[in-house]
Amino acid sequence: MYHLRLLLIPLLFAAVLGNTQTSATTLPALWEQVKIEPLAALQVWTSYTIGEEVYRPDEGKYEKVDDRLNFQLRRSRFGLKGKVGDRIKFNFTLAADLVGRDLLAATEGGANNGGSPQIRLWNAFVQWRLSPQSEKAHLVAGYQVPQIGRESITSALRSTSIEKAWVQNYLRRHLVGIGPGRALGVNVGGLFLKEKLSWGYDVGVFNPAMKAYGGNSVGDVYSPLLTGRLVAYLGDPESKSYTPGHKINYFGQRRGLSLALEGAWQAKTDVFQDNHAYGFDFLGNYDGWSLDGEYLVLGRRGYEDISTSAQTAYLRLSYTFKIGEYWLEPSGMVTQLSGPLSTVDQSTATILSAFAGEETVADIGGNFYFTSNLKLSMHYTFSKGDAGMAGAGADVNNYFFQSGVGPILRGDWLGLGLVAIM
């Protein structure tokens, strides 16, 4: 804790300047403004996979593997959050995910994290409210998720489906290059709150994916990643204060509609002339109903007068009603990727390291909440895909590829999940 407070010294000076304190302020008084609290969360799954197939290149065909039961620690988060005065907030979070995952389970995600789990940095950012008495301008600097795509900026632990819509994975890999979707950068965002119509905005600049020179550079040709999101709130806003994180279920406490336009752009790199994403998202809450979704176009333009694009979207509906002291929430979701299917267009997508083919995932089930931070979930997830002219053995999207295995046909799965947020 002593070393953490030393790291917060620059924030203390910012807080002093921002809070217009007098020159008589002493260092002990500054320490009193530092408030730190631990954070921890777990998501544990039991899944049963049906119909998974693995491609056998020697035979040139897929072969069904055994259906299987799998227990895994899907997500874990632990760290510290807090504030300095009333204008500085910070978040430092570590993660250990996919512990115990069977690579032939149909659940989407990376490789098994092993018997001795690897722990990675998840969030490390500082948020500074630039105006003393207003939510109109906040500066968020550090390792964070770029503010584009509702599913990407909503915590998986707050999802009303058992797993997030994989729209967020396609978007993150398209823009940042890695599934977690984090990047170092700076974002300015804020809220303009009114009685019936409010507005929110985010504008960010980030380090793009670093794949050259052993994963330590974007390459000889450099361009930053630029992002922007503008949202209108009809009725109740999602929050009375600005936050880079979001949720879906308000347990009947919100009557409002959020409508957002968003986009991202990156100019020349070694791989492409430009990389872009644009689209819209929404969230509607009315008493126990929650309806959310998004639609995004992911495009790239190459150096040899070639270009590629894919569309990805999801739609999710849930209803929460009270049973005594608890809540029950039936929910359903459909998510889709639609990319190139022809031989020429799929070849272009490969050259530009983009997605191709089609994938459709449907999730139906229910959640039982003991509290808003403790829930049990049971869902069934259906998957199907179309590789187009790429044919058998293609790894054009997530339906057809599993890290650590190679080409597959992803199966369906029944899942029982527990989420605990502390």
Side-chain angles (χ1 to χ4, degrees):
M1 190 66 72
Y2 172 76
H3 293 293
L4 178 61
R5 290 197 172 197
L6 287 180
L7 292 174
L8 292 174
I9 287 177
L11 301 184
L12 289 171
F13 284 108
V16 171
L17 292 175
N19 291 327
T20 61
Q21 305 210 354
T22 68
S23 59
T25 301
T26 63
L27 187 58
L30 297 182
W31 288 127
E32 291 300 319
Q33 296 186 54
V34 181
K35 305 297 181 183
I36 300 174
E37 60 182 277
L39 61 89
L42 295 174
Q43 183 180 46
V44 183
W45 283 354
T46 300
S47 67
Y48 190 79
T49 293
I50 302 168
E52 185 97 353
E53 298 183 29
V54 175
Y55 185 69
R56 308 299 185 193
D58 293 342
E59 302 175 15
K61 64 178 183 179
Y62 293 96
E63 182 178 285
K64 188 179 183 302
V65 298
D66 285 349
D67 298 343
R68 66 200 55 220
L69 180 70
N70 180 227
F71 304 98
Q72 65 171 290
L73 176 57
R74 176 61 182 92
R75 294 178 174 90
S76 63
R77 305 283 183 266
F78 49 96
L80 298 169
K81 64 179 180 179
K83 60 182 181 178
V84 183
D86 62 356
R87 292 174 58 190
I88 301 287
K89 296 180 180 180
F90 58 88
N91 184 300
F92 180 82
T93 308
L94 301 176
D97 295 352
L98 300 166
V99 179
R101 179 170 189 265
D102 188 319
L103 293 185
L104 297 180
T107 55
E108 296 193 72
N112 188 324
N113 202 354
S116 298
Q118 296 290 317
I119 297 174
R120 61 158 291 149
L121 181 64
W122 196 249
N123 290 318
F125 59 82
V126 176
Q127 177 179 330
W128 183 12
R129 189 177 67 186
L130 299 178
S131 176
Q133 304 298 328
S134 172
E135 295 296 322
K136 294 179 180 178
H138 291 249
L139 176 67
V140 183
Y143 190 63
Q144 59 187 299
V145 177
Q147 292 293 306
I148 172 175
R150 173 165 291 280
E151 195 73 339
S152 181
I153 59 179
T154 299
S155 169
L157 302 172
R158 298 295 185 185
S159 179
T160 57
S161 48
I162 194 168
E163 177 62 290
K164 297 183 77 171
W166 227 230
V167 169
Q168 58 95 25
N169 181 267
Y170 288 122
L171 174 67
R172 290 175 173 184
R173 289 162 59 197
H174 181 77
L175 295 180
V176 179
I178 57 174
R182 269 67 182 167
L184 277 163
V186 177
N187 184 86
V188 176
L191 293 173
F192 293 82
L193 298 174
K194 301 293 183 182
E195 185 175 348
K196 294 183 179 180
L197 176 62
S198 301
W199 296 89
Y201 73 93
D202 286 280
V203 179
V205 182
F206 298 90
N207 285 343
M210 298 182 179
K211 294 185 177 180
Y213 296 101
N216 294 294
S217 173
V218 70
D220 295 346
V221 181
Y222 170 80
S223 296
L225 173 66
L226 309 177
T227 63
R229 183 171 183 264
L230 178 65
V231 55
Y233 302 106
L234 286 73
D236 296 337
E238 295 178 38
S239 174
K240 295 296 181 65
S241 59
Y242 174 82
T243 174
H246 299 264
K247 60 183 180 179
I248 300 168
N249 190 342
Y250 286 80
F251 297 91
Q253 299 303 304
R254 181 186 184 226
R255 290 185 174 182
L257 176 63
S258 308
L259 299 172
L261 296 175
E262 55 212 341
W265 185 74
Q266 182 183 349
K268 292 182 179 181
T269 70
D270 290 354
V271 178
F272 46 73
Q273 286 210 63
D274 70 72
N275 185 37
H276 58 268
Y278 60 87
F280 65 88
D281 69 61
F282 61 89
L283 170 65
N285 302 106
Y286 189 85
D287 295 337
W289 291 100
S290 299
L291 176 67
D292 65 301
E294 68 181 83
Y295 173 84
L296 294 166
V297 176
L298 312 178
R300 285 182 176 173
R301 186 167 61 93
Y303 284 99
E304 299 177 359
D305 196 27
I306 58 175
S307 62
T308 186
S309 69
Q311 297 81 45
T312 186
Y314 83 91
L315 181 66
R316 181 168 45 211
L317 176 66
S318 67
Y319 181 75
T320 305
F321 57 92
K322 235 182 166 183
I323 303 177
E325 299 178 357
Y326 310 113
W327 293 271
L328 181 63
E329 179 188 36
S331 71
M333 178 188 72
V334 177
T335 180
Q336 187 171 32
L337 172 79
S338 180
L341 295 173
S342 71
T343 301
V344 173
D345 290 341
Q346 289 189 329
S347 176
T348 299
T350 299
I351 293 171
L352 295 175
S353 299
F355 304 112
E358 295 182 349
E359 179 189 33
T360 301
V361 178
D363 170 298
I364 187 168
N367 308 307
F368 184 84
Y369 294 85
F370 297 93
T371 73
S372 60
N373 292 327
L374 180 63
K375 72 174 180 180
L376 284 173
S377 302
M378 180 175 284
H379 292 246
Y380 194 89
T381 300
F382 308 83
S383 302
K384 68 176 183 178
D386 183 353
M389 296 306 294
D395 56 2
V396 291
N397 60 52
N398 289 333
Y399 178 82
F400 295 101
F401 180 78
Q402 172 55 51
S403 175
V405 178
I408 65 166
L409 297 180
R410 196 172 297 279
D412 300 336
W413 61 285
L414 173 66
L416 176 65
L418 170 68
V419 171
I421 302 172
M422 295 158 272

